[in-house]
Amino acid sequence: MDVSQQDQYVVIELGTEKYALKLSEVYEIIKMQKITAVPNSKPFLEGVTNIRGKIVPIISLRKRFQLAEAPGMHKARIVVVNHHEEMIGIVVDGVKQVIQFSDIQPAAEIVSRVDSSYFQGVGQSEDGLIGILNLEHVLVG
């Protein structure tokens, strides 16, 4: 495949782990802001926030992956994705860079400490192997 035709990915961080989202799925990346809790919601739903007049649900990728909360979230960001015409924010520890993978393989049973169903593949880059998130499973499944 021609390099110019390859998808670009946004690399996000959860602790020392790195994951990737297709750039085409990302609407914007913003700094943390006030999130209002929603009672009796899914365990990984942090709440909702107002982004330029639009109420957007915010999920925690750490809670979704059943990882412990991180101390000091000074680099935390909200990655706003467009999923089925709905804006959804994903809280991550940090955003690293935009990259293209030289090779993408199917996700193995064990990609990391996280359930492999959350991944659509594993990309190889200069920084090593990075799990590519399956947004459908992360947000819904």
Side-chain angles (χ1 to χ4, degrees):
M1 180 184 299
D2 184 347
V3 172
S4 64
Q5 295 175 343
Q6 290 181 338
D7 287 325
Q8 292 184 314
Y9 295 85
V10 176
V11 177
I12 58 176
E13 299 174 310
L14 285 184
T16 58
E17 301 289 328
K18 293 178 185 157
Y19 305 99
L21 283 167
K22 274 188 179 177
L23 183 61
S24 61
E25 297 172 324
V26 175
Y27 179 74
E28 67 181 326
I29 299 166
I30 59 175
K31 290 183 178 178
M32 282 299 294
Q33 57 186 54
K34 185 176 186 310
I35 298 172
T36 304
V38 176
N40 301 319
S41 60
K42 294 180 179 178
F44 55 88
L45 182 70
E46 286 286 314
V48 295
T49 194
N50 185 331
I51 300 177
R52 291 183 294 284
K54 184 173 177 74
I55 303 301
V56 176
I58 305 294
I59 73 163
S60 165
L61 199 56
R62 278 190 169 274
K63 288 181 181 176
R64 184 62 169 152
F65 290 172
Q66 300 178 348
L67 301 174
E69 289 295 319
M73 297 282 287
H74 63 280
K75 289 178 23 185
R77 296 288 184 267
I78 298 173
V79 178
V80 181
V81 297
N82 192 352
H83 180 70
H84 297 300
E85 307 300 323
E86 182 181 3
M87 307 282 271
I88 299 173
I90 302 172
V91 176
V92 300
D93 292 355
V95 176
K96 187 85 172 152
Q97 65 201 58
V98 175
I99 64 170
Q100 292 180 322
F101 291 113
S102 58
D103 186 32
I104 296 175
Q105 298 290 321
E109 284 297 314
I110 299 175
V111 173
S112 65
R113 296 175 289 167
V114 178
D115 183 345
S116 63
S117 70
Y118 293 127
F119 300 95
Q120 62 180 354
V122 177
Q124 183 168 349
S125 72
E126 293 176 359
D127 294 336
L129 300 176
I130 298 175
I132 301 169
L133 295 178
N134 180 333
L135 206 51
E136 186 73 30
H137 281 254
V138 170
L139 299 177
V140 180

